């Protein structure tokens, strides 16, 4: 009798443990540095929702916005160590990791618009760039758009000369550094989460970002002027810890891949709208004067910045640069 009771208790405990294990979701921490109401913030929430639906709760994506877990420099390291499973760093963040080819996205005016950009990010060149992350223990899943950058400062910017001697915040990218030096500005590398305060206290004079980043960080409250130059593209690669990803049950991984596919369509659909409405928000705030340059004024910025292409070609690889030119039809000699 006693033996049967022990056996039954044992069986019940085993069944309960198996059930609990089956119900314990696989947690995916998704960390990022921007506000929740940005293209990246919204797309990561979309992904979390679809991941829960498609895996029927077997995977749980926890999104941490606004550098709540990690700042720029730390987040990729945390992913490599497995402390966080998923990120969407800006493409500039992979240069410092040693994958310098990604800094080609920092070349000024290399993409005229999103159509040009997608020829790279949604095509074979983009896919081959993502593969370059694998030796670093990183798997690249997708490219998500943000948008094109504008300069801001406390003094009006009409010509490239207006940036001379200005301390400008940049991301850690050798190409961006060269770009600002070419303009005669003084580039200062700084984490995204520190930019607002640096602008407010005058540690830097200005910055550049897509409108959605400027507006959601309230940078327009501490900058008096901006000019719509669209001089650089800023977007993201969604990445995961490769070991973690490869170790997922195949069916769950497939469902997450599907969720990522849908989130990518969504991200790239809303990016332009989000940036347009952010610019409208800046306009309505009345705090920052927005200057739209004439065609000739914009051309002057292009001409001033284009020497960066020749100067930095070796850093990203001449072949890669030529392959992008060929794909988009961009010719720096024809400005
Ligand atoms: C920046 O540092 O300016 C951007 O990388 C922030 C972001 O992730 O959009």
């Amino acid at each position: 009798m006693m033996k049967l009771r022990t056996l039954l208790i044992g069986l019940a405990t085993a069944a309960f443990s198996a059930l609990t294990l089956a119900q314990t979701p696989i947690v995916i921490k998704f960390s990022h540095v921007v506000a929740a109401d940005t293209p990246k913030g919204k797309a990561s929430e979309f992904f979390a929702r679809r991941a829960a639906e498609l895996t029927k709760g077997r995977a749980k994506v926890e999104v941490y916005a606004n550098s709540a877990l990690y700042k720029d420099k730390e987040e990729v390291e945390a992913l490599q160590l497995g402390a966080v499973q998923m990120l969407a760093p800006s493409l500039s963040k992979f240069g410092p990791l040693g994958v310098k080819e990604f800094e080609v996205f920092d070349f000024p005016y290399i993409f005229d618009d999103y159509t040009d950009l997608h020829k790279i990010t949604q095509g074979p060149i983009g896919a081959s760039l993502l593969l370059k992350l694998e030796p670093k223990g990183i798997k690249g899943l997708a490219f998500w758009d943000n948008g094109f950058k504008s300069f801001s400062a406390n003094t009006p910017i009409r010509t490239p000369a207006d940036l001379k001697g200005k301390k400008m915040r940049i991301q850690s990218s050798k190409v961006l550094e060269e770009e600002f030096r070419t303009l005669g500005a003084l580039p200062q590398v700084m984490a995204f989460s520190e930019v607002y305060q640096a602008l407010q206290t005058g540690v830097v004079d200005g910055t550049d970002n897509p409108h959605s980043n400027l507006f959601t960080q309230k940078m327009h409250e501490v900058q008096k002027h901006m000019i719509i130059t669209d001089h650089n593209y800023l977007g993201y690669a969604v990445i995961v810890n490769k070991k973690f990803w490869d170790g997922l049950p195949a069916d769950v991984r497939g469902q997450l891949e599907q969720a990522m596919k849908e989130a990518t369509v969504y991200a790239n659909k809303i990016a332009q709208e989000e940036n347009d409405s952010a610019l409208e928000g800046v306009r309505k705030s009345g705090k920052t004067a927005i200057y739209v340059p004439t065609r000739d004024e914009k051309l002057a910025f292009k001409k001033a910045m284009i020497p960066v292409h020749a100067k930095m070609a070796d850093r990203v690889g001449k072949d890669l640069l030529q392959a992008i030119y060929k794909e988009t039809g961009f010719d720096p000699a024809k400005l």
Side-chain angles (χ1 to χ4, degrees):
M1 192 59 196
M2 193 59 194
K3 264 195 182 155
L4 185 66
R5 234 184 99 197
T6 316
L7 187 70
L8 285 176
I9 292 173
L11 279 176
T13 314
F16 181 75
S17 312
L19 205 68
T20 321
L21 205 66
Q23 282 171 352
T24 307
I26 300 162
V27 174
I28 300 176
K29 288 190 184 157
F30 189 153
S31 168
H32 69 82
V33 301
V34 296
D37 53 343
T38 53
K40 176 162 62 176
K42 289 188 173 178
S44 55
E45 292 292 352
F46 180 103
F47 172 70
R49 204 166 49 248
R50 286 301 285 144
E53 285 165 6
L54 291 170
T55 65
K56 300 197 173 29
R58 285 176 72 199
K60 183 168 185 279
V61 180
E62 294 174 354
V63 180
Y64 297 88
N66 255 328
S67 311
L69 284 189
Y70 303 103
K71 287 189 196 175
D72 311 14
K73 250 192 7 218
E74 304 153 357
E75 64 173 15
V76 179
E77 212 175 280
L79 181 102
Q80 288 177 302
L81 292 171
V84 63
Q85 289 72 39
M86 191 175 275
L87 305 170
S90 73
L91 300 170
S92 320
K93 301 270 154 55
F94 298 107
L97 192 69
V99 193
K100 299 177 200 149
E101 292 89 339
F102 274 82
E103 285 182 10
V104 79
F105 290 100
D106 291 334
F107 275 47
Y109 291 108
I110 191 163
F111 306 112
D112 260 350
D113 49 30
Y114 286 105
T115 309
D116 266 0
L117 169 79
H118 291 163
K119 287 178 189 157
I120 307 308
T121 53
Q122 310 304 322
I125 297 179
S128 73
L129 284 172
L130 291 181
L131 283 178
K132 290 187 189 294
L133 299 172
E134 299 209 353
K136 307 276 174 197
I138 295 172
K139 182 159 178 64
L141 297 181
F143 286 97
W144 284 359
D145 290 348
N146 189 342
F148 295 87
K149 298 186 201 171
S150 288
F151 292 113
S152 66
N154 278 328
T155 45
I157 308 162
R158 297 284 181 272
T159 70
D162 294 329
L163 287 165
K164 274 213 168 73
K166 291 247 178 303
K167 281 183 275 163
M168 301 292 286
R169 179 268 170 173
I170 61 162
Q171 299 185 76
S172 173
S173 150
K174 292 288 173 228
V175 172
L176 294 178
E177 199 176 313
E178 183 56 47
E179 176 181 295
F180 279 79
R181 290 205 191 287
T182 299
L183 288 165
L186 307 169
Q188 315 275 313
V189 173
M190 188 177 289
F192 185 66
S193 57
E194 287 159 14
V195 182
Y196 176 90
Q197 206 182 359
L199 291 169
Q200 190 182 37
T201 55
V203 168
V204 289
D205 301 311
T207 184
D208 66 340
N209 240 305
H211 314 317
S212 56
N213 277 353
L214 176 104
F215 183 60
T216 55
Q217 296 297 321
K218 302 192 185 348
M219 292 179 199
H220 62 290
E221 293 181 359
V222 286
Q223 293 279 265
K224 291 198 174 67
H225 296 273
M226 64 186 282
I227 176 166
I228 313 294
T229 38
D230 298 320
H231 55 279
N232 279 133
Y233 169 72
L234 187 147
Y236 312 107
V238 187
I239 58 173
V240 277
N241 177 297
K242 185 167 157 37
K243 206 163 149 212
F244 166 80
W245 193 252
D246 291 344
L248 286 172
D251 55 342
V252 172
R253 194 171 50 241
Q255 288 150 351
L256 292 174
E257 276 164 3
Q258 177 59 27
M260 184 52 64
K261 220 184 245 172
E262 294 176 24
T264 301
V265 171
Y266 171 78
N268 298 350
K269 180 179 161 289
I270 64 164
Q272 167 104 55
E273 298 158 19
E274 290 291 317
N275 280 300
D276 289 350
S277 70
L279 186 62
E280 201 39 44
V282 174
R283 189 170 280 127
K284 278 199 190 127
S285 78
K287 300 209 181 220
T288 300
I290 302 166
Y291 186 71
V292 182
T294 63
R295 222 178 137 265
D296 283 352
E297 283 169 332
K298 196 163 168 182
L299 191 61
F301 277 94
K302 280 193 185 178
K303 288 200 162 144
M305 294 162 96
I306 226 64
V308 174
H309 284 234
K311 284 190 209 166
M312 298 310 278
D314 283 339
R315 178 158 173 94
V316 296
K318 283 201 170 84
D319 291 350
L320 172 64
L321 196 57
Q322 288 304 329
I324 294 181
Y325 290 165
K326 193 159 169 254
E327 205 58 44
T328 62
F330 182 80
D331 182 352
K334 275 196 207 147
L335 275 184

